[in-house]
Amino acid sequence: MNHVRNGGDLVVESLTALGAHCVFGLPGQHALGLFDALRRSELRYVGLRVENNAGFAADGYARTARTVAPLFLSTGPGALTSLAALQEAAAASVPVLAVSSQIPSAGLGGRRRGYLHELVDQQASFRDVVKSVHVARTASQIPSALAAAWESALTAPSGPVWVEIPQDVLLAATIVPPVRALHAEPRALPPRSELVAEAATLLAAARRPVILAGGGVVRSGATGELLRLAERLRAPVACTFGGKGAFPWEHPLSLQSWLEDRHTTELLEDADVLLVVGSGLGELSSNYHTLAPRGRIIQVEADLGKLESNHPALGIHADARLALAALADQVPAKTPDGVAEAITADLLKRVRARLDGQDLDLEQGVLASVRQALPDGAPVFFDMTILGYWAWSAFDAREPNTMHSGQGAGGLGYGYPAALGAAAARPDGPVLAVSGDGGAMYSIAELATARQLQLNVTWLIVDDGGYGILREYMNDTFGEATATELVRPDFVRLAESFEVPATRTTAAGLAHDLAAALAAPGPSVVVLPAFLRMFEPTHLGPS
């Protein structure tokens, strides 16, 4: 059968020209033109079993490959099912490019023609979630719409974008020539020179400067610039949960990531100049909005909506790497005197003493076993689970852009499908996903994806018989938990039914069993039955 080029071909040609290598998604009736065109392209297709999981997988790919991840979706229910994944991508500034079909053009404009999957205004469901919305109503508009979306997704602050194309446009023959070249570069966001000069003056005069590094430092590739500035200033550096790996964990100036600890909050408050880079000082980064700095704040943030949104500051709207490089060039190097290193060591000693008084050997041992088993440079994706919450504060990422979690939007089910996406981006090395049993049930269908594609993902499931963190929150708040206890499957036998190797382990055997699973090719599951606890919160009052 001779094929006549159509709108679907223009989509895959345009994405290929823009630099895409892999597409995630799930087919649906109105999107069949997209999926049929894939077989005539060199794009690799990674199909998942649920649209939301496909969105999480695209997120994991984009973070790992550091590029745009296309996501193909069908209309109505298929598109709407991806919303939670796109919200996470938006909260964490991840460049996912969602290409959705739409009902035939004849049904658009609110006429309610009764098409399958029809929505009055499908774009409206996504407009407040994604960074930008792009529409192609004719075949000739497709390449330009995709190029504009690609540029938007990558321009700081990066984020998810939405492209919508009606079914008939995807299927109709087109005379538009094949797309051979398409240019879309992210726009630079340099800092204004007078703001850099003022910030450099403040930092040079500071007696107790402290730096708080957020996810923007990692996304912009600014870890080298951050290290250079911190060492010139002799400034201790704390990393937010989204900024894990932005600064070397064991560096003498590293405050690590104990942001849910009052000792860290007090140190940040006591800084005469607090430099916040790539963070909006949101709920988690501010110890649940208890942070009240007494000195001057300098905030570097690419997202204009986050700039000075929680605290007044000398606000610098800029890419973190460009701003840190400019500051490091202008700030004079201070003579090392050991004071900042002593402050850093004392803070970590006090954090350690607080933890040591809470009988948390099991939790710290489990996290240490994960770190021991995971090769340096291998990505790990934590779901919203107690072990993930521990990792925010206590896990040494060792390298930037290797530890990820769903803490941007905070929805369940992120860890495993995101890890599958990361494995598609780096097929030659292991990837680890960590879930609780509750979160794991969101993603069980993707064991079939892992098996079908032989993705090198090991899935650690910590099974405590329910929504463990919610159980703990409710017990602490109300004295009793409701709706947190769950009937769940035998995860080992369930994995084996997908022909995925699985092991039930213990806390003592976790490091060995997890290392063995990570070393084996293909997917695997390790189940750890364990009841873990969080350390005591400090945002509820001094402790």
Side-chain angles (χ1 to χ4, degrees):
M1 177 178 178
N2 293 328
H3 171 72
V4 177
R5 286 179 64 257
N6 58 25
D9 290 295
L10 283 173
V11 171
V12 298
E13 291 167 3
S14 298
L15 291 174
T16 302
L18 287 165
H21 298 284
C22 188
V23 172
F24 297 83
L26 193 70
Q29 179 176 325
H30 290 141
L32 294 181
L34 284 174
F35 288 86
D36 178 64
L38 279 175
R39 67 186 173 90
R40 293 182 294 277
S41 79
E42 296 182 359
L43 293 173
R44 178 188 181 191
Y45 172 61
V46 177
L48 287 94
R49 302 308 199 264
V50 183
E51 286 88 354
N52 199 49
N53 292 338
F56 283 144
D59 175 301
Y61 180 95
R63 296 189 195 211
T64 303
R66 290 182 174 273
T67 188
V68 176
L71 170 67
F72 283 2
L73 299 167
S74 191
T75 319
L80 294 175
T81 303
S82 73
L83 271 168
L86 294 176
Q87 184 188 5
E88 175 59 39
S93 298
V94 180
V96 173
L97 196 166
V99 181
S100 172
S101 60
Q102 176 58 294
I103 62 174
S105 301
L108 299 179
R111 280 174 280 186
R112 305 297 291 176
R113 298 283 296 276
Y115 283 101
L116 184 71
H117 307 328
E118 182 178 283
L119 293 169
V120 173
D121 186 359
Q122 181 172 271
Q123 298 170 44
S125 298
F126 296 87
R127 197 175 297 278
D128 288 338
V129 175
V130 299
K131 183 179 177 184
S132 59
V133 170
H134 309 260
V135 179
R137 293 295 183 222
T138 66
S140 63
Q141 295 176 4
I142 288 174
S144 295
L146 287 169
W150 190 281
E151 178 183 311
S152 175
L154 283 180
T155 296
S158 54
V161 294
W162 181 261
V163 178
E164 189 175 279
I165 309 171
Q167 178 192 29
D168 54 311
V169 176
L170 291 171
L171 294 176
T174 180
I175 60 172
V176 178
V179 181
R180 304 298 186 198
L182 205 55
H183 183 72
E185 292 291 335
R187 297 181 303 280
L189 187 59
R192 286 168 37 205
S193 58
E194 73 275 14
L195 294 176
V196 172
E198 178 66 16
T201 298
L202 290 172
L203 290 168
R207 292 176 294 107
R208 300 182 311 279
V210 178
I211 300 174
L212 180 62
V217 174
V218 177
R219 288 189 293 273
S220 66
T223 55
E225 289 79 2
L226 174 62
L227 178 62
R228 184 160 69 99
L229 178 61
E231 291 182 338
R232 291 181 70 83
L233 284 173
R234 313 311 305 166
V237 179
C239 293
T240 70
F241 304 151
K244 300 287 288 188
F247 197 74
W249 188 256
E250 298 293 347
H251 192 283
L253 293 173
S254 175
L255 300 169
Q256 301 179 358
S257 300
W258 296 99
L259 297 186
E260 290 188 69
D261 190 284
R262 192 66 212 169
H263 297 310
T264 300
T265 306
E266 290 168 353
L267 192 150
L268 296 174
E269 290 174 337
D270 189 52
D272 57 351
V273 178
L274 176 63
L275 173 61
V276 181
V277 187
S279 170
L281 286 177
E283 184 176 33
L284 297 180
S285 301
S286 63
N287 202 359
Y288 299 89
H289 293 300
T290 62
L291 175 68
R294 296 182 288 273
R296 292 291 302 271
I297 302 175
I298 302 167
Q299 185 183 18
V300 177
E301 176 56 59
D303 188 335
L304 195 59
K306 294 179 180 178
L307 194 64
E308 295 190 71
S309 61
N310 285 304
H311 295 276
L314 174 64
I316 303 177
H317 183 219
D319 174 79
R321 185 180 60 81
L322 298 177
L324 286 171
L327 285 171
D329 286 342
Q330 293 195 29
V331 170
K334 296 182 179 180
T335 303
D337 57 10
V339 173
E341 289 84 351
I343 290 171
T344 300
D346 179 66
L347 180 280
L348 296 179
K349 180 180 178 181
R350 285 184 286 146
V351 170
R352 174 57 53 195
R354 196 176 81 85
L355 293 175
D356 287 346
Q358 297 180 40
D359 188 24
L360 297 167
D361 291 346
L362 171 62
E363 290 76 8
Q364 295 182 77
V366 167
L367 192 62
S369 293
V370 173
R371 179 63 277 175
Q372 178 183 337
L374 187 68
D376 290 357
V380 56
F381 289 81
F382 287 93
D383 210 335
M384 299 297 287
T385 184
I386 288 179
L387 191 58
Y389 288 25
W390 265 98
W392 294 350
S393 295
F395 191 77
D396 175 7
R398 294 190 182 166
E399 295 183 18
N401 199 42
T402 56
M403 179 189 150
H404 307 278
S405 73
Q407 58 93 23
L412 275 172
Y414 171 80
Y416 190 56
L420 296 178
R426 59 183 316 270
D428 296 331
V431 179
L432 176 63
V434 180
S435 302
D437 58 286
M441 292 301 292
Y442 279 62
S443 310
I444 286 297
E446 305 311 337
L447 281 170
T449 300
R451 175 68 179 84
Q452 182 172 344
L453 302 178
Q454 280 297 297
L455 296 170
N456 295 324
V457 176
T458 294
W459 193 4
L460 173 60
I461 301 174
V462 182
D463 184 358
D464 67 359
Y467 298 122
I469 192 65
L470 300 179
R471 176 195 293 137
E472 188 165 312
Y473 287 164
M474 294 190 79
N475 281 326
D476 289 346
T477 304
F478 308 113
E480 187 174 351
T482 304
T484 60
E485 306 314 297
L486 302 174
V487 172
R488 70 280 190 200
D490 181 328
F491 287 106
V492 170
R493 292 173 59 195
L494 181 59
E496 290 173 344
S497 74
F498 286 94
E499 298 183 359
V500 172
T503 302
R504 182 174 287 102
T505 190
T506 64
L510 176 60
H512 173 272
D513 292 340
L514 190 57
L518 287 163
S524 58
V525 171
V526 177
V527 180
L528 172 65
F531 284 79
L532 306 180
R533 297 185 299 119
M534 279 303 297
F535 50 81
E536 293 177 2
T538 63
H539 64 280
L540 302 179
S543 62

